Each structure stands twice: as C-alpha cells, then as structure tokens.
Amino acid sequence: MALFSSSTQIIPETHPMPRHVAAIMDGNGRWAKKRFLPRVAGHSRGVETVREIVRACLERGIEYLTLFAFSSENWRRPQEEVSLLMQLFVKALEQEVTKLDKNGVRLCVVGDLSLFEPRLRALVAEAQAKTATNSRLTLTIAANYGGRWDILQAMNRLSVAHPEKSGHWNEEDLAPFLSMHYAPEPDLFIRTGGEARISNFLLWQLAYTEFHFTDTLWPEFDAAALDQAIASYRRRERRFGRTSEQLLEDPHPSISSGVAEVVAGVHPDA
Ligand code: IPE
Ligand code: IPE
Ligand code: MG
C-alpha cells in the first residue's frame, strides 16, 4: 500500500523539521575549477558531501532526502565526464550500500534507467532490494531523471491502466504512477551552486515546496549549511493558497474540519 498526498488537494500538516528535503547538488565543476583540478575531482568530493548530508538527515529525523545526481539533459556533457560520473555512481553503490543499510536507510533510484549499463542497473536493483524494508530515512537518487519525463511516463502508464477514464483523469489517478509515489511532496528544496532554477527536477512534486537557493558549492555544503536552509524554511509561512489570518485561526483545517483526507492508493507496480 502506498501512501501519498497532494498539496493541491489537501492542506498538508507542516512541522518545524521538514519531512522531505530535495536538493540539486550543483557546483561540483566550479569547486574543482577553483582548485585547478579536473571536474571529476569535484564530483568525487560531492559524494563525500552526500555522505555528510545523509548523516545529518538521520541525526535530525528527516524522513526523506532526494538528491538530483544526473539529469536527463546531463547526457549533453562531454562523453568523458558522463562516463566518469557513471563510474562514480557504480563505486558509490559498491561502497556505501552496506553502511546505508546498517543505518536504516532505504535507497531508491528514480529516473529512466534503461540507458544505463547493465552493471549499474544490477547494482541499483540489488541496493533497492537490500534496503527495501528500512524506514528510518528514504534516500532517493534521481539519475537520468527529468520532471517532464516523469509526468509523461506517468501519463502513459495511466492511459494504459485506465483507458476507460480517458479525458477524465484527475490528480489522484495520476499520483500512483509518478516515480516518487512513495514519498510525501518535498517540504524544502535546496539548490547549491548559485543558480536559481529547477533544471527539470521534480516539476510536479514541487508545487508547494519552500525553495532555498545558496551560493555554496555542493562540495562545500555541510550540516551547518543544511541547518541554515532549515532555519530559513522555519521562517516561511506555508499558506497553501490561504490568507495569513486564516492560518492564525486554524493552522491545520485539514485535520480539525476533516475536509481533507490523506489519499491512500495502491501503486500499480506494488
Ligand atoms: C553538479 O555539479 C553535478 C552534476 C550535474 C552531475 P556540476 O557538474 O553541474 O557543477 P558546475 O555547475 O559545473 O559547477
Ligand atoms: C542540475 O545541474 C542537475 C544536477 C545537479 C544533477 P546542472 O548543472 O546540470 O544544471 P544547469 O545546466 O546549470 O541548469
Ligand atoms: Mg551545474
């Protein structure tokens, strides 16, 4: 049974600690360039940051961490960089999964994996199976992921599953087919590296997410920088379309009035 909820269908309960943090890990190349190192040195250092941020999320009780590792547009990079990135991904899977598993981390990979080498795909499948029952932190790596790809693959699968409802599909019909159907929508989105754009990350799921952009390059992002992002998140007033006055009167109408329910559904792949 997969549990999902939509911020446009219900008013979600908000907590001082975000349940779901999603990040675009940007700035590896510039970090390396500043040090006269090859770009791949920045990517290697970026893997260390991933380790530190996973640890920080575990310590803070964050339940979902989603990291953009490779976009569907990153194939446009020089062949050598793409191939080194794939090698790094393989190495990280080989080296980190046992420790992740010990720490109660469930690893999920989202994206179109069909273009990846069989070795990488096998490692991903193995890692997902090994950690499938862990529930302390769900770490999702978005690899060959694109927000548009995600919405389209969900629409295509929905149209096959429910042709009879064609022309009348709603959000609840689509939700179980989106690749992150197992997670609540991100509360906090972080992009390092100074760019203020989404670059085709989670387009559907970021509808009501709070955004935090920082100039810090990903290899220099650390637990203290994460805390700054969380502090910024805590200062936000999450109105979900309402007015401030309504919010003061009744911060969680979804619960007190019973208007909104969590939509529970069975995922088609489950
Ligand atoms: C992000 O860092 C990592 C990937 C996209 C794989 P970049 O490689 O984009 O670093 P910059 O933006 O060139 O500094
Ligand atoms: C976004 O970073 C993708 C990842 C971090 C995986 P890019 O560096 O590829 O984004 P653009 O090209 O600057 O928008
Ligand atoms: Mg970049």
Side-chain angles (χ1 to χ4, degrees):
M1 177 76 83
L3 196 67
F4 52 87
S5 58
S6 159
S7 56
T8 54
Q9 300 298 293
I10 64 160
I11 298 169
E13 205 178 330
T14 58
H15 304 274
M17 187 58 75
R19 285 186 71 196
H20 185 174
V21 175
I24 297 187
M25 312 187 280
D26 198 18
N28 294 349
R30 278 163 286 164
W31 181 89
K33 198 172 171 190
K34 274 205 305 192
R35 286 161 182 77
F36 305 101
L37 294 168
R39 290 179 59 84
V40 68
H43 298 315
S44 293
R45 184 59 191 76
V47 176
E48 287 176 40
T49 303
V50 172
R51 226 176 272 134
E52 170 160 1
I53 297 305
V54 168
R55 200 181 317 124
C57 287
L58 283 166
E59 285 165 7
R60 284 156 186 72
I62 290 166
E63 296 168 66
Y64 298 87
L65 173 65
T66 301
L67 300 173
F68 203 7
F70 192 87
S71 76
S72 43
E73 290 70 43
N74 286 144
W75 296 106
R76 296 170 178 162
R77 292 192 177 198
Q79 173 56 41
E80 197 200 350
E81 179 168 348
V82 171
S83 134
L84 287 168
L85 277 166
M86 295 300 152
Q87 283 173 36
L88 257 186
F89 198 9
V90 166
K91 199 169 125 197
L93 284 167
E94 285 171 345
Q95 294 182 349
E96 307 292 333
V97 173
T98 306
K99 205 172 108 201
L100 289 173
D101 188 36
K102 273 203 194 114
N103 285 315
V105 179
R106 174 185 175 199
L107 184 76
C108 297
V109 178
V110 294
D112 181 2
L113 299 187
S114 65
L115 292 175
F116 288 168
E117 283 186 9
R119 164 101 185 114
L120 183 49
R121 278 157 59 182
L123 279 169
V124 166
E126 213 177 286
Q128 293 191 134
K130 189 179 165 92
T131 62
T133 56
N134 294 339
S135 56
R136 210 173 139 205
L137 169 71
T138 299
L139 169 64
T140 301
I141 303 294
N144 193 21
Y145 180 87
R148 291 187 178 181
W149 165 83
D150 197 2
I151 295 166
L152 278 173
Q153 67 79 28
M155 275 310 300
N156 285 329
R157 293 198 295 140
L158 171 60
S159 68
V160 171
H162 296 293
E164 75 290 350
K165 237 190 135 180
S166 175
H168 303 279
W169 292 314
N170 58 32
E171 276 197 32
E172 283 156 36
D173 296 324
L174 188 74
F177 294 93
L178 289 165
S179 54
M180 290 207 61
H181 60 86
Y182 52 84
E185 291 170 10
D187 299 295
L188 171 61
F189 161 93
I190 300 168
R191 180 170 186 148
T192 61
E195 312 295 352
R197 54 177 172 252
I198 303 186
S199 300
N200 199 15
F201 194 26
L202 303 161
L203 299 179
W204 180 279
Q205 298 84 347
L206 296 177
Y208 269 107
T209 301
E210 298 298 331
F211 282 35
H212 177 81
F213 295 100
T214 170
D215 289 337
T216 304
L217 305 172
W218 180 254
E220 286 165 348
F221 193 78
D222 57 10
L226 175 67
D227 285 336
Q228 277 178 23
I230 294 169
S232 156
Y233 166 81
R234 283 189 180 151
R235 291 192 293 270
R236 316 285 176 88
E237 186 181 60
R238 303 192 75 190
R239 290 190 291 274
F240 298 101
R242 292 165 298 161
T243 65
S244 296
E245 290 71 24
Q246 285 175 296
L247 211 75
L248 282 173
E249 265 169 38
D250 193 356
H252 298 306
S254 56
I255 292 161
S256 53
S257 71
V259 166
E261 310 143 37
V262 169
V263 180
V266 178
H267 184 256
D269 290 344

